[in-house]
């Protein structure tokens, strides 16, 4: 019985946490980070102040949670794929990345950071260190594993990861963030990912020509 009770309390806590994060994101967008108090977030989310402070003792901790959840994948099965077939592996990573960028909370996160950057640069640092960089590192590690397996020849894995993710985000995410009403169809997203995969696979093919040494 105690296990059932514990599971129930954990589920309730997770539900309340989700309500708090959703309410905080909406208020940060509406009022700005500075003008949004934890008390107002508790009121909007429908939880007590004690419950909110127990989970998030500060706005900074709450914003970190928004970043982490915005960049998190669905479950543990979404670890980088094993090395051995770079086309299949990059296709999986590319689809996951496009799905991640297509979430409303990702757009909301970037809008908060951009709006508050002049007054609260620490939000950008949090977004970068807790969100973008861990995700980037997972892609970098995958490309390094492929290089070590001999399926590709990548001398600069940082650059290769940036190239791959940039080809997807520049089409799928940034116009959506900046242009009201901009939409990209699922078919077009799939095509963008496929072209990015083919480009990286061709550029870094293990049997292809090495990088130019001409100055």
């Amino acid at each position: 019985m105690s296990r059932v009770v514990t599971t129930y309390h954990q589920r309730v806590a997770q539900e309340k946490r989700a309500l708090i994060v959703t309410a905080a994101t909406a208020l940060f967008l509406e009022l700005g980070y500075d003008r949004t108090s934890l008390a107002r977030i508790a009121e909007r989310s429908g939880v007590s102040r004690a419950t909110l402070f127990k989970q998030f003792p500060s706005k900074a901790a709450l914003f970190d949670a928004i970043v982490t959840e915005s960049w998190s994948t669905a479950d543990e099965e979404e670890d980088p794929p094993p090395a051995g077939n770079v086309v299949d592996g990059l296709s999986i990573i590319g689809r996951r990345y496009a799905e991640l960028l297509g979430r409303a909370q990702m757009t909301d996160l970037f809008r908060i950071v951009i709006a508050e950057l002049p007054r609260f640069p620490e939000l950008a640092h949090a977004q970068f260190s807790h969100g973008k960089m861990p995700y980037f590192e997972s892609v970098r590690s995958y490309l390094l594993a492929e290089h070590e397996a001999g399926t590709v020849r990548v001398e600069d894995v940082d650059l290769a990861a940036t190239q791959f993710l940039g080809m997807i985000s520049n089409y799928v995410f940034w116009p959506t963030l900046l242009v009201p009403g901009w939409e990209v169809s699922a078919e077009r997203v799939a095509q963008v990912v496929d072209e990015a995969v083919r480009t990286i696979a061709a550029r870094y093919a293990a049997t292809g020509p090495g990088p130019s040494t001409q100055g």
Side-chain angles (χ1 to χ4, degrees):
M1 178 66 69
S2 61
R3 181 177 299 178
V4 174
V5 173
T6 300
T7 301
Y8 169 77
H9 285 305
Q10 289 175 341
R11 178 173 58 82
V12 170
Q14 290 172 352
E15 291 173 351
K16 289 183 177 180
R17 179 185 178 89
L19 290 172
I20 293 168
V21 169
T22 299
T25 302
L27 285 169
F28 288 158
L29 286 168
E30 293 172 18
L31 304 177
Y33 182 81
D34 189 36
R35 294 174 56 196
T36 300
S37 65
L38 289 176
R40 189 187 291 267
I41 293 170
E43 180 182 0
R44 172 71 69 91
S45 60
V47 304
S48 69
R49 296 187 185 186
T51 296
L52 186 146
F53 281 107
K54 182 178 180 180
Q55 295 214 30
F56 304 106
S58 67
K59 279 198 296 184
L62 182 47
F63 186 79
D64 285 347
I66 293 173
V67 171
T68 301
E69 294 189 17
S70 296
W71 281 95
S72 64
T73 49
D75 51 42
E76 293 181 356
E77 295 180 0
E78 292 199 348
D79 289 334
N85 187 319
V86 71
V87 171
D88 288 350
L90 286 178
S91 295
I92 292 171
I93 292 172
R95 289 194 298 269
R96 291 175 182 170
Y97 188 53
E99 188 276 331
L100 196 65
L101 295 179
R103 298 177 184 174
Q105 59 262 45
M106 182 64 76
T107 304
D108 290 343
L109 171 62
F110 272 80
R111 285 176 175 156
I112 292 169
V113 170
I114 291 170
E116 301 292 355
L117 183 59
R119 292 184 299 165
F120 299 98
E122 64 270 21
L123 300 186
H125 290 298
Q127 203 276 87
F128 190 78
S129 61
H130 299 311
K132 183 175 178 59
M133 277 309 297
Y135 190 89
F136 176 86
E137 183 58 32
S138 71
V139 179
R140 179 190 180 281
S141 297
Y142 167 75
L143 288 172
L144 181 59
E146 291 286 10
H147 173 79
E148 293 175 344
T151 50
V152 292
R153 183 169 56 198
V154 185
E155 301 301 332
D156 189 338
V157 289
D158 287 351
L159 178 59
T162 300
Q163 290 169 335
F164 179 63
L165 297 177
M167 281 188 283
I168 297 172
S169 63
N170 283 345
Y171 198 102
V172 172
F173 178 71
W174 290 106
T176 303
L177 178 70
L178 300 172
V179 182
W182 183 279
E183 294 183 2
V184 183
S185 68
E187 292 78 10
R188 188 60 167 169
V189 170
Q191 181 184 8
V192 169
V193 171
D194 182 59
E195 289 297 325
V197 170
R198 292 171 61 187
T199 299
I200 293 297
R203 166 62 181 85
Y204 295 105
T207 56
S212 174
T213 58
Q214 296 180 358

